[in-house]
């Protein structure tokens, strides 16, 4: 794969800053094209994509399938019962079989090691559609949304409030190559992976803070970002987490502390009344729906990049 010019998209910091900014620039162009109603740009014509989902999804599934289709390709959805990677069949076998039929593989999995193995054995590009460790396509869409609303990502203050989860890891990996101010406010014991934090801080690219006081965190924020307290695979911990995460709900009061310029973002799905209030999601400065739409546009640009078209 390395010699063919084809690439995987597994972590944002596998790429240079210039490449990431180029992909985002391309996303804007293709978005404008698609929004204009233009349907003659078909770079994926004759190409097929296998989409493996070990977990549920709305945005990832529909945005990848629709985006690939709008640009001429055909996507095949494989749900949790279809492949059962590692259970019905070994990952390295899945990788090689699907590579025989498809030009690209997108996968949403539990263990991060599984996507690394999939990419290792696949002879076509593999795109990470979320693992327990990270969610790079989401954070690319988020960066695109911030650029559209604020003008640029560089120099902005992005404050994530909640669990130090896969979303936070992707923010940290982005902060390792593009300079901005990233703050994660989480309860003690729910910090993001220490090694990832350390490595991101050691790059010296961005100001990165992991703190435990949401009010202190959000002061002067350009973006306040929230995600569920119990991720997919942790749902049995939901009740316990609701207790531990008291005080980490993004509500009207916290948005007031952030200030009038602060946008609210959430990768969705959201549990209204838990990690965020209904009022904050519905407020005029909430950009969660443009953010969700941008999944498709960012991913179209990612697919063009990994396929070298
Ligand atoms: N944000 C996101 O990845 O949503 P889905 O789980 O619906 O794909
Ligand atoms: N952290 C969440 C993100 C969902 C898009 C999860 O992994 O379930």
């Amino acid at each position: 794969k390395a010699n063919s010019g084809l690439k995987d998209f597994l972590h944002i910091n596998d790429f240079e800053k210039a490449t990431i900014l180029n992909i985002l620039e391309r996303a804007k162009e293709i978005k404008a094209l698609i929004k204009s109603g233009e349907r003659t740009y078909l770079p994926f014509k004759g190409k097929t994509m296998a989409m493996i989902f070990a977990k549920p999804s709305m945005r990832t599934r529909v945005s990848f399938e629709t985006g690939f289709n709008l640009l001429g390709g055909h996507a095949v959805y494989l749900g949790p019962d279809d492949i059962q990677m590692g259970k019905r069949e070994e990952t390295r076998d899945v990788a090689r079989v699907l590579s025989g039929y498809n030009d690209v593989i997108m996968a949403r999995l539990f263990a991060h090691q599984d996507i690394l193995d999939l990419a290792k054995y696949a002879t076509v590009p593999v795109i990470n559609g979320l693992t327990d460790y990270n969610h790079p396509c989401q954070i690319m869409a988020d960066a695109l949304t911030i650029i559209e609303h604020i003008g640029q990502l560089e120099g902005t203050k992005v404050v994530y409030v909640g669990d130090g989860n896969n979303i936070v890891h992707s923010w940290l990996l982005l902060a390792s190559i593009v300079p901005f101010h990233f703050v994660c406010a989480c309860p003690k014991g729910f910090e993001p992976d220490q090694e990832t934090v350390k490595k991101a801080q050691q790059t010296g690219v961005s100001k990165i803070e992991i703190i435990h006081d949401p009010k202190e965190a959000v002061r002067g924020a350009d973006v306040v970002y929230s995600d569920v307290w119990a991720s997919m695979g942790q749902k049995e911990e939901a009740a316990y987490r609701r207790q531990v995460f008291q005080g980490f709900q993004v509500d009207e009061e916290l948005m007031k502390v952030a200030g009038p310029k602060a946008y609210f973002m959430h990768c969705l799905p959201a549990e209204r009344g838990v990690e965020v209030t209904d009022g904050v999601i519905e407020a005029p400065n909430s950009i969660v729906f443009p953010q969700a739409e941008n999944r498709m546009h960012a991913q179209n640009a990612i697919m063009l990049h990994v396929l070298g078209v």
Side-chain angles (χ1 to χ4, degrees):
K1 201 162 20 179
N3 299 328
S4 65
L6 300 175
K7 303 164 204 76
D8 300 312
F9 195 84
L10 304 180
H11 321 90
I12 293 178
N13 65 333
D14 292 341
F15 298 87
E16 306 265 342
K17 175 186 172 187
T19 307
I20 291 299
L21 296 181
N22 275 338
I23 294 173
L24 293 171
E25 208 40 57
R26 191 122 188 243
K28 272 200 230 167
E29 289 166 19
I30 300 159
K31 177 176 181 176
L33 198 74
I34 286 178
K35 301 281 259 189
S36 76
E38 163 78 50
R39 292 291 182 268
T40 56
Y41 177 59
L42 303 169
F44 299 140
K45 192 161 180 207
K47 292 197 188 295
T48 64
M49 169 166 62
M51 306 195 299
I52 308 171
F53 283 89
K55 294 172 174 173
S57 170
M58 172 165 71
R59 278 144 292 271
T60 305
R61 187 218 167 146
V62 180
S63 58
F64 264 105
E65 187 166 334
T66 307
F68 199 60
N69 190 268
L70 282 172
L71 300 183
H74 174 72
V76 181
Y77 170 76
L78 298 151
D81 289 335
D82 293 320
I83 297 222
Q84 301 174 42
M85 226 172 66
K87 208 160 118 203
R88 182 169 186 266
E89 203 156 356
E90 283 195 30
T91 304
R92 52 198 169 139
D93 294 350
V94 172
R96 285 169 288 181
V97 171
L98 290 180
S99 296
Y101 307 134
N102 296 283
D103 300 281
V104 54
I105 300 169
M106 194 282 299
R108 161 168 290 192
L109 306 173
F110 285 90
H112 193 65
Q113 188 60 47
D114 288 345
I115 203 139
L116 300 179
D117 292 343
L118 190 66
K120 181 173 168 194
Y121 288 98
T123 56
V124 300
V126 172
I127 299 176
N128 178 354
L130 179 148
T131 66
D132 289 345
Y133 177 66
N134 69 343
H135 196 1
C137 293
Q138 177 70 53
I139 273 52
M140 289 294 282
D142 300 345
L144 176 62
T145 311
I146 291 174
I147 292 168
E148 284 177 342
H149 285 81
I150 301 178
Q152 56 178 33
L153 173 63
E154 292 191 32
T156 59
K157 180 177 179 184
V158 177
V159 181
Y160 174 98
V161 180
D163 180 32
N165 62 16
N166 44 10
I167 294 290
V168 178
H169 296 147
S170 280
W171 275 114
L172 289 167
L173 299 183
L174 179 62
S176 305
I177 53 167
V178 178
F180 59 100
H181 183 180
F182 180 69
V183 187
C184 168
C186 56
K188 287 210 174 87
F190 292 86
E191 292 86 1
D193 173 58
Q194 237 180 11
E195 191 66 22
T196 304
V197 174
K198 206 168 83 192
K199 277 196 185 148
Q201 283 172 332
Q202 276 168 355
T203 63
V205 171
S206 294
K207 183 173 175 188
I208 293 168
E209 299 175 279
I210 312 297
I211 64 174
H212 303 294
D213 179 351
K215 285 207 173 74
E216 181 197 330
V218 301
R219 274 201 188 92
D222 296 289
V223 171
V224 176
Y225 195 114
S226 162
D227 183 17
V228 289
W229 292 341
S231 286
M232 291 179 271
Q234 302 174 326
K235 296 300 177 193
E236 72 291 345
E237 290 177 31
Y240 165 68
R241 283 173 175 253
R242 276 188 197 203
Q243 288 171 3
V244 179
F245 281 74
Q246 286 301 318
F248 286 83
Q249 184 187 63
V250 178
D251 58 13
E252 286 79 348
E253 198 191 318
L254 193 67
M255 289 306 291
K256 217 175 257 168
V257 177
K261 71 167 182 186
Y263 287 106
F264 175 72
M265 296 179 76
H266 190 306
C267 55
L268 304 179
E271 280 196 76
R272 292 173 190 240
V274 181
E275 76 274 7
V276 58
T277 60
D278 188 74
V280 166
I281 292 204
E282 295 298 339
N285 60 342
S286 162
I287 51 174
V288 300
F289 298 113
Q291 177 187 2
E293 182 191 325
N294 276 339
R295 288 293 303 279
M296 183 172 82
H297 306 301
Q299 289 157 194
N300 283 345
I302 290 167
M303 291 191 286
L304 286 168
H305 183 73
V306 299
L307 285 166
V309 285

